[in-house]
């Protein structure tokens, strides 16, 4: 029998280094995780350099690599992918920025770079969309709210460059910076001028917006300035369906990951109660993935919480989240007709609170895999598995071969 579908479960940042808080084990090795262990036992395992040995991946470059899009060729910065993540359709050549709402004082000093962790900014983003006018520069723009205080800005127009600095001083108590061209090039100079004009007009609109007046009255920090960074020019992505001849969907709370999915033409599947954090509705994600597989050939699910614990340096919390995730993965044990791939996108060691280049564990489960001797899913056991040490670029082709969708090279 040959399976017809592929399910990628990316356990974001789940991979780790030995933790003193867990008696020298990694959170994954310390966790009770019968489902992952059984899938590993019934499948083939290995370790993986998502991009290359010694390269510390971002989640964005890692996911591009896992989907078979060489990040060195396709990655043009986080901004355009964040724009896609908020629902802005980016066309090649558009300039995208990741933004956040922040608070400035009457004197113009930044007092809170997250605007009191404001939640619902849709009305503010709508006011900017309607109120800001960049037509004098021949530029159209789209501005959309993301999760929490986050947002994204996209510019479209002739002669715009993407090599510009941020207006974010990265600390409170100082004035915002002017956006500047990083090179003395007319296109970058034009973008910088347009960005500064956007900031000038938007601050005027936000400062007097009723929602902000209400926030001030309630003792909350108003969201009265937009900070922008991560400028990038949208590249051309060959659609996933054309590249591989299969249809696909993405399920993720992280807008960056769903943005990558959108950029590749994957369908975004909304799930209620997903947060990208410890309290996320993982059960709902897995249920949605199983439903989606009825009509799609490929589904990617990103589960983010372990990465967050890694960044916070909380090894016990990370172990507990892994145990919660494992329980939610139980329906995968009886999933018919599917190659299940489970991996991390990178390590996020609690001891360094950031991504590292340590290879990540990976397992492939389903009809046709050559089952190896690995009896559990963690960084140590998987290192002895039949996949050996692979790169992220090899993962999807390996899965495609298992569903007989790999191209034959030669006669
Ligand atoms: Zn990640
Ligand atoms: Zn991370």
């Amino acid at each position: 029998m040959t399976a017809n579908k592929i399910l990628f479960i990316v356990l974001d940042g789940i991979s780790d280094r030995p933790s003193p808080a867990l008696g020298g084990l990694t959170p994954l090795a310390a966790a009770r995780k019968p489902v992952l262990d059984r899938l590993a036992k019934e499948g083939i395992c290995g370790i993986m350099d998502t991009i290359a040995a010694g390269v510390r991946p971002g989640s964005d470059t890692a996911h591009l690599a896992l989907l078979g899009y060489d990040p060195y060729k396709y990655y043009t910065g986080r901004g355009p992918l964040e724009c896609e993540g908020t629902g802005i359709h980016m066309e090649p050549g558009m300039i995208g920025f990741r933004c956040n709402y922040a608070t400035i004082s009457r004197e113009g000093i930044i007092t809170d770079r997250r605007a009191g962790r404001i939640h619902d900014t849709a009305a503010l983003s709508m006011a900017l969309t309607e109120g800001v006018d960049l037509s004098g520069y021949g530029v159209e723009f789209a501005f959309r709210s993301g999760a929490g205080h986050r947002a994204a800005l996209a510019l479209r127009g002739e002669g715009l460059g993407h090599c510009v600095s941020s207006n974010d001083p990265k600390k409170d108590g100082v004035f915002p910076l002017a956006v500047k061209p990083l090179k003395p090039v007319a296109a970058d100079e034009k973008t910088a001028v347009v960005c500064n004009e956007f900031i000038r007009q938007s601050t005027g609109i936000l400062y007097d917006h009723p929602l902000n007046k209400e926030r001030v009255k309630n003792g909350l920090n108003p969201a009265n300035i937009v900070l922008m960074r991560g400028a990038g020019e949208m590249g051309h992505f060959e659609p996933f369906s054309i590249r591989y001849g299969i249809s696909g969907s993405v399920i993720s709370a992280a807008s960056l990951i769903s943005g990558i999915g959108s950029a590749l033409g994957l369908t975004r599947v909304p799930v209620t109660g997903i947060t990208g954090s410890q309290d996320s509705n993982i059960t709902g994600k897995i249920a949605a993935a199983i439903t989606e597989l009825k009509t799609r050939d490929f589904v990617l699910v990103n589960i983010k919480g372990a990465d967050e614990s890694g960044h916070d340096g909380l090894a016990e919390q990370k172990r507990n989240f892994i145990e919660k995730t494992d329980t939610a993965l139980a329906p995968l044990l009886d999933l018919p007709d599917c190659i299940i791939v489970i991996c991390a996108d990178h390590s996020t060691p609690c001891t360094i609170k950031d991504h590292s280049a340590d290879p990540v564990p990976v397992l492939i489960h389903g009809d046709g895999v050559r089952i190896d001797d690995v009896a559990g899913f963690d960084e140590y056991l998987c290192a002895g598995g039949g996949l050996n040490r692979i790169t992220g670029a090899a993962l999807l082709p390996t899965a495609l071969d298992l569903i007989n969708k790999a191209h034959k090279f030669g006669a």
Side-chain angles (χ1 to χ4, degrees):
M1 273 249 308
T2 304
N4 286 298
K5 315 272 175 165
I6 298 172
L7 174 60
F8 265 35
I9 306 275
V10 182
L11 303 171
D12 205 303
I14 202 172
S15 183
D16 211 299
R17 291 180 183 173
S19 274
L22 299 172
L25 293 175
T26 65
L28 189 56
R32 214 188 83 80
K33 42 174 177 31
V35 176
L36 284 165
D37 287 344
R38 194 174 130 197
L39 290 167
K41 203 171 167 141
E42 295 175 356
I44 186 168
C45 297
I47 53 173
M48 178 170 72
D49 299 297
T50 315
I51 296 174
V55 176
R56 294 169 54 215
S59 285
D60 41 16
T61 51
H63 278 75
L64 283 172
L66 293 176
L67 290 163
Y69 291 78
D70 179 358
Y72 290 107
K73 180 173 170 201
Y74 285 96
Y75 186 64
T76 57
R78 184 163 173 175
L81 300 172
E82 286 281 357
C83 284
E84 283 279 353
T86 64
I88 299 171
H89 174 60
M90 297 292 286
E91 280 156 19
M94 287 172 72
I95 311 293
F97 299 81
R98 42 191 302 232
C99 302
N100 55 274
Y101 282 101
T103 307
I104 50 167
S105 68
R106 186 166 294 281
E107 296 73 36
I109 289 173
I110 296 179
T111 55
D112 180 355
R113 289 179 57 253
R114 297 194 176 94
R117 292 210 174 253
I118 187 169
H119 280 302
D120 190 1
T121 63
L124 299 176
S125 296
M126 182 59 76
L128 297 187
T129 300
E130 287 169 357
V132 174
D133 180 6
L134 303 174
S135 60
Y137 302 91
V139 170
E140 294 173 50
F141 75 96
F143 190 88
R144 289 271 191 103
S145 295
H149 60 286
R150 297 180 192 85
L153 168 70
L155 303 177
R156 184 196 350 231
E158 290 295 313
L160 290 173
H162 68 279
C163 295
V164 294
S165 65
S166 168
N167 67 329
D168 184 353
K170 296 272 174 74
K171 58 182 177 190
D172 293 343
V174 294
F175 289 105
L177 307 169
V179 176
K180 293 196 176 119
L182 297 176
K183 289 182 270 178
V185 174
D188 297 337
E189 282 163 5
K190 178 172 175 180
T191 300
V193 168
V194 169
C195 286
N196 289 321
E197 179 60 16
F198 178 87
I199 294 159
R200 190 188 70 77
Q201 289 187 32
S202 59
T203 305
I205 292 165
L206 294 170
Y207 208 89
D208 293 322
H209 193 279
L211 190 146
N212 277 331
K213 287 191 164 161
E214 186 70 21
R215 282 180 71 81
V216 171
K217 212 166 76 185
N218 294 328
L220 299 169
N221 286 340
N224 53 17
I225 186 169
V226 172
L227 300 178
M228 53 175 76
R229 63 193 188 283
E233 181 180 337
M234 183 65 174
H236 178 75
F237 293 92
E238 183 186 12
F240 186 89
S241 59
I242 291 173
R243 197 177 178 99
Y244 301 117
I246 57 174
S247 60
S249 302
V250 61
I251 300 174
S252 170
S255 62
L256 183 60
I257 307 304
S258 19
I260 288 171
S262 298
L264 306 184
L266 298 176
T267 303
R268 289 170 61 166
V269 182
V271 177
T272 51
I274 62 172
T275 62
S277 192
Q278 307 299 308
D279 58 351
S280 192
N281 176 16
I282 311 170
T283 307
K285 275 187 179 171
I286 299 303
I290 291 172
T291 304
E292 204 60 17
L293 283 167
K294 295 193 167 92
T295 53
R296 307 274 172 197
D297 304 310
F298 171 87
V299 176
L300 183 145
V301 180
N302 174 281
I303 298 174
K304 189 82 180 161
D307 180 59
E308 182 186 69
S309 304
H311 284 289
D312 291 341
L314 300 173
E316 283 157 338
Q317 185 192 72
K318 189 168 177 179
R319 177 202 58 204
N320 295 345
F321 183 78
I322 292 167
E323 294 184 348
K324 173 186 162 174
T325 303
D326 189 78
T327 306
L329 296 179
L332 301 185
L333 293 171
D334 309 308
L335 189 61
D337 192 30
C338 189
I339 296 297
I340 301 170
V341 177
I342 301 183
C343 63
D345 53 345
H346 49 75
S347 300
T348 312
C350 296
T351 47
I352 62 170
K353 301 186 182 179
D354 202 346
H355 302 181
S356 76
D358 300 85
V360 303
V362 53
L363 78 80
I364 303 180
H365 178 283
D367 286 326
V369 304
R370 295 180 189 154
I371 299 165
D372 60 19
D373 293 335
V374 175
F377 186 71
D378 65 38
E379 300 87 340
Y380 303 93
L381 295 170
C382 287
L387 285 173
N388 298 311
R389 183 166 179 161
I390 60 171
T391 62
L395 195 59
L396 185 56
T398 302
L400 286 166
D401 184 48
L402 285 164
I403 65 165
N404 278 348
K405 286 274 168 64
H407 289 293
K408 188 176 183 184
F409 178 47

